């Protein structure tokens, strides 16, 4: 896999792609409050500082594809975008959030630097077109049900809107019931589209619906997969984090405790530097 095969996408001042050091996409799965988002952004920034790693703050204002009706969905779009706008202004970092419907794209695009297409919605044409028309960077999660080569057609839908600011993100592939597996052959296959590739280490260890009414996960394997992805070569890493994952409102079992992020980032940068010849 040629580490300079992909184009470089400028994400509000962060170059993502080519032989650039990996960018980090990180934050809690779900927005909880402005104070919590501010605390998380501060701690992620501190974890990135020793290596000079550039980061995009991510958090979702709505988790529309939860396992069951009884689980928390989030703060809603209006409040969520207000918080993300405040984080962007205060920390000077790009921000990312999920969009689930075509009508969400324009208002989210007014605030967020990156709009993320959830894996379950990665073939929804109207959503992809609406996201593309915002002109923002679009991070498309590969559906757990898709082959990596299928992402060329997905990216083409966004590009047809005149937007080539596309990132393709692997987050594991369905493997039996309530289980995912990561096939690292998919990273160079997706990079062959010419778009930068992101590896989502924390959702790749998710166990969808594994706890009955909610998803489970094996967070201890997220660093293992992240190291492997860096060894293959990626443009960005997606790692969700929280100060108390076991009590987080969503995706706790697969999130990394934020107090472990600095050491993890340092380790991953070493793999990334070796792969990219620095």
């Amino acid at each position: 896999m040629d580490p300079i095969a992909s184009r470089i996408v400028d994400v509000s001042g962060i170059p993502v792609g080519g032989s650039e050091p990996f960018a980090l996409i990180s934050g809690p799965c779900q927005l909880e409050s402005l104070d919590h988002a501010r605390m998380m952004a501060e701690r992620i920034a501190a974890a990135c500082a020793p290596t000079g790693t550039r980061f995009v703050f991510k958090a979702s204002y709505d988790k529309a594809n939860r396992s069951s009706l009884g689980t928390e969905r989030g703060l809603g779009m209006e409040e969520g975008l207000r918080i993300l706008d405040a984080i962007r202004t205060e920390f000077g970092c790009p921000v990312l959030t999920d969009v689930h419907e075509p009508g969400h794209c324009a208002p989210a695009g007014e605030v967020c630097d990156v709009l993320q297409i959830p894996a379950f919605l990665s073939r929804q044409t109207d959503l992809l077109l609406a996201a593309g028309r915002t002109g923002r960077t679009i991070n498309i999660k590969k559906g757990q049900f898709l082959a990596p080569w299928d992402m060329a057609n997905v990216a083409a839908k966004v590009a047809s809107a005149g937007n080539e600011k596309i990132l393709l993100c692997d987050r594991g592939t369905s493997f039996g019931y309530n289980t995912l597996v990561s096939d690292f052959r998919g990273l160079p296959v997706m990079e062959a589209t010419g778009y930068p590739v992101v590896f989502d280490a924390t959702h790749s260890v998710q166990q969808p619906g594994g706890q009955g009414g909610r998803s489970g996960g094996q967070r201890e394997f997220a660093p293992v997969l992240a190291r492997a992805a860096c060894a293959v070569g990626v443009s960005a890493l997606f790692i969700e984090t929280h100060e108390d994952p076991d009590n987080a409102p969503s995706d706790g079992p697969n999130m990394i405790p934020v107090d472990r992020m600095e050491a993890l980032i340092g380790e991953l940068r070493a793999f990334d530097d070796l792969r990219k010849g620095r």
Side-chain angles (χ1 to χ4, degrees):
M1 182 175 178
D2 184 346
I4 59 170
S6 78
R7 71 191 70 191
I8 294 178
V9 171
D10 185 291
V11 182
S12 299
I14 298 178
V16 179
S19 58
E20 294 288 334
F22 73 76
L24 178 68
I25 300 171
S26 189
C29 178
Q30 189 178 129
L31 282 168
E32 298 176 35
S33 68
L34 175 57
D35 286 344
H36 183 262
R38 181 180 288 121
M39 179 273 292
M40 290 301 304
E42 287 176 350
R43 297 188 68 174
I44 293 166
C48 289
T51 53
T53 299
R54 308 286 294 276
F55 77 97
V56 177
F57 181 81
K58 72 79 46 189
S60 300
Y61 57 76
D62 181 21
K63 304 300 295 183
N65 55 1
R66 298 303 305 274
S67 297
S68 66
L69 189 60
T71 48
E72 296 181 52
R73 286 186 54 166
L75 300 176
M77 185 164 63
E78 183 176 352
E79 177 65 6
L81 291 179
R82 184 186 72 81
I83 292 172
L84 289 169
D85 189 40
I87 296 300
R88 186 180 192 273
T89 300
E90 182 173 343
F91 291 90
C93 62
V95 295
L96 173 154
T97 198
D98 298 287
V99 288
H100 297 90
E101 300 176 16
H104 292 180
C105 294
E110 291 178 4
V111 171
C112 297
D113 305 87
V114 185
L115 302 185
Q116 181 164 279
I117 307 299
F120 286 124
L121 302 177
S122 58
R123 284 180 36 162
Q124 295 297 106
T125 301
D126 291 342
L127 178 61
L128 292 163
L129 293 176
R133 285 193 289 267
T134 66
R136 292 298 198 175
T137 300
I138 311 302
N139 185 39
I140 311 171
K141 294 284 190 80
K142 182 185 78 65
Q144 303 93 323
F145 46 88
L146 290 179
W149 46 85
D150 293 332
M151 292 300 284
N153 291 329
V154 173
K157 293 180 181 181
V158 175
S160 74
N163 186 352
E164 295 277 354
K165 297 172 66 176
I166 297 167
L167 309 177
L168 302 180
C169 183
D170 193 298
R171 49 95 11 109
T173 300
S174 295
F175 185 76
Y177 296 120
N178 304 123
T179 306
L180 300 169
V181 66
S182 292
D183 180 356
F184 289 101
R185 296 173 299 177
L187 301 180
V189 169
M190 289 199 297
E191 192 186 57
T193 63
Y195 297 110
V197 172
V198 183
F199 182 72
D200 180 348
T202 43
H203 285 99
S204 291
V205 299
Q206 187 184 62
Q207 295 171 318
Q211 295 183 1
R214 61 178 60 237
S215 292
Q218 295 175 298
R219 73 169 69 98
E220 67 271 22
F221 293 119
V224 177
L225 297 185
R227 290 195 297 267
C230 286
V232 174
V234 288
S235 297
L237 288 170
F238 182 110
I239 302 176
E240 287 189 336
T241 184
H242 195 276
E243 84 285 1
D244 184 13
D246 290 334
N247 290 297
S250 61
D251 275 357
N254 47 267
M255 282 197 282
I256 300 294
V258 72
D259 61 7
R260 300 181 190 173
M261 286 293 287
E262 181 178 329
L264 177 59
I265 293 166
E267 183 180 26
L268 296 174
R269 278 297 297 268
F271 277 83
D272 188 63
D273 287 346
L274 179 64
R275 177 65 187 95
K276 294 173 181 172
R278 284 190 300 277

